Amino acid sequence: MLETALSELESRGVSLLESAHDASALEDARVEILGRKGALANAGKDLAKLPVEEKAKAGKLLNAAKQLLESIYERRKAEFEKAALDARLAAEWLDLTLPAPGPKPGSLHPLTQIQQELEDLFTSLGFAVVDGPEVETEWHNFDALNIPATHPARDMQDTFWVEGGYVLRTHTSPVQVRAMEKFGPPLKMIAPGRVFRNEEVDASHEHTFYQLEGMMIDRDVSVAHMLYFMKSLLKHIFGREVTVRLRPGYFPFVEPAFELDIQCLICGGSGCPVCKQSGWVELLPCGLVHPNVLRFSGIDPEEWNGFAFGLGLTRLVMMRYGIDDIRHLAGGDLRFLNQF
Ligand code: DAH
């Protein structure tokens, strides 16, 4: 009787263990057949009740079944463990001979990009790129540019004064004077750089911004020469002709003085906060260098003359990329900067 039961138990166990399709099904089968309260354990209890002469024979059978089932269990368990390990190795495989990815490359600030483009353009036209101090003497920032202390033009620029009569330069124009002093005529130079004004900050005003000064001193320089260079500059930057207007301006260091405006590229001329609803943006004030400025810089105005311009680099960046708030440019926000 028990023999039949044992052989049925054995074949049920074999089929349960062999048919388990994953490690957890195998574990369930083990508990059911080989566990402490499983089928084999129960058969062991039945066996204890048998008379002595039958007990030995049945005991052998039970042991044989147990060994068989345990060996099947061990084999299948090893199979699942190997499969799990293989899958993990395949998933975590790593080629250690590949070069490391390294840091993500950054990009140049849009102001730097435009500055470098203009430096390339002007050097190709024979201009030198020169630099001047950001903390400037009153003489270079004002007097030598024909703006004496008593002149109302000093009020055109809200100035940060520094102790000792120095100023945070309010424009890049003082570099004109420094270049003329240093190199003399003939001279073709540009001077990009940072300038400072005591301004209330809003969408189009910052206390710190960038300009690019330009100057050409030679014999018989005319407004026509100036316009040629101004148009080359705008075409180079915008990659197309932009609508411009030239109107009389006033700057004490040039005579005649002009304001070269471009049609606002943010709103297309219909009016927006950047162009103060006028449709036009002052971008490129320019003119013929005032004889006093040449004289103050040690150049004879009877022999030499020239033109000068002061490009608003920050404003140019805003126009080119359609940036509607100047504060983005100084913000250092990577979500903004990553776009360039
Ligand atoms: N320095 C002037 C400013 O910041 C801009 C300027 C006007 C520069 C006319 C020039 C010029 O060289 O010719 O407002």
Side-chain angles (χ1 to χ4, degrees), residues 151 161 173 222 224 273 286:
H151 197 287
W161 288 89
S173 303
S222 72
C286 50

Side-chain angles (χ1 to χ4, degrees), residues 156-157 170-173 176 197 209 211 213-214 251 253-254 257-258 285-288 307-311:
M156 286 166 72
Q157 302 175 347
T170 56
H171 49 180
T172 43
S173 303
Q176 291 181 14
R197 303 257 175 109
F209 54 100
Q211 293 184 335
E213 196 76 15
F251 296 94
F253 34 94
V254 278
F258 303 99
C286 50
L288 296 186
F307 68 77
F309 62 92
L311 172 71

Side-chain angles (χ1 to χ4, degrees), residues 148-210:
T150 52
H151 197 287
R154 284 226 177 170
D155 294 341
M156 286 166 72
Q157 302 175 347
D158 296 305
T159 309
F160 288 115
W161 288 89
V162 180
E163 279 176 16
Y166 294 98
V167 298
L168 295 187
R169 65 176 180 190
T170 56
H171 49 180
T172 43
S173 303
V175 190
Q176 291 181 14
V177 178
R178 291 184 175 277
M180 287 187 280
E181 288 169 349
K182 187 165 179 192
F183 302 112
L187 177 68
K188 281 179 4 191
M189 68 89 177
I190 58 165
R194 188 159 59 157
V195 302
F196 311 88
R197 303 257 175 109
N198 194 353
E199 297 265 14
E200 200 79 55
V201 175
D202 62 24
S204 52
H205 294 89
E206 261 285 10
H207 48 70
T208 303
F209 54 100
Y210 290 78

Side-chain angles (χ1 to χ4, degrees), residues 214-227:
M215 165 175 256
M216 173 172 166
I217 304 289
D218 211 316
R219 295 187 170 90
D220 303 319
V221 177
S222 72
V223 171
H225 294 119
M226 180 187 84
L227 277 179

Side-chain angles (χ1 to χ4, degrees), residues 15-127:
S15 93
L16 263 180
L17 292 168
E18 290 288 11
S19 66
H21 57 277
D22 63 15
S24 96
L26 181 69
E27 175 62 9
D28 291 346
R30 185 194 67 78
V31 171
E32 188 176 336
I33 304 295
L34 294 161
R36 264 191 309 130
K37 290 175 182 163
L40 275 178
N42 287 338
K45 282 179 201 150
D46 293 345
L47 185 134
K49 295 175 201 147
L50 288 178
V52 189
E53 53 283 13
E54 286 176 39
K55 214 187 247 176
K57 197 176 166 208
K60 268 190 197 154
L61 284 173
L62 183 68
N63 267 338
K66 197 175 172 205
Q67 272 175 20
L68 174 71
L69 293 168
E70 274 175 351
S71 72
I72 294 174
Y73 167 74
E74 293 299 336
R75 172 171 55 73
R76 297 240 50 212
K77 187 174 158 221
E79 280 169 20
F80 286 127
E81 280 171 358
K82 180 170 185 306
L85 182 63
D86 287 349
R88 195 174 146 199
L89 286 177
E92 295 179 1
W93 183 84
L94 195 62
D95 185 350
L96 293 175
T97 66
L98 283 176
K104 202 168 157 259
S107 57
L108 293 176
H109 192 282
L111 267 163
T112 309
Q113 290 184 28
I114 287 208
Q115 179 181 327
Q116 292 184 349
E117 281 174 37
L118 286 170
E119 288 176 1
D120 286 348
L121 170 72
F122 277 99
T123 43
S124 80
L125 294 169
F127 285 64

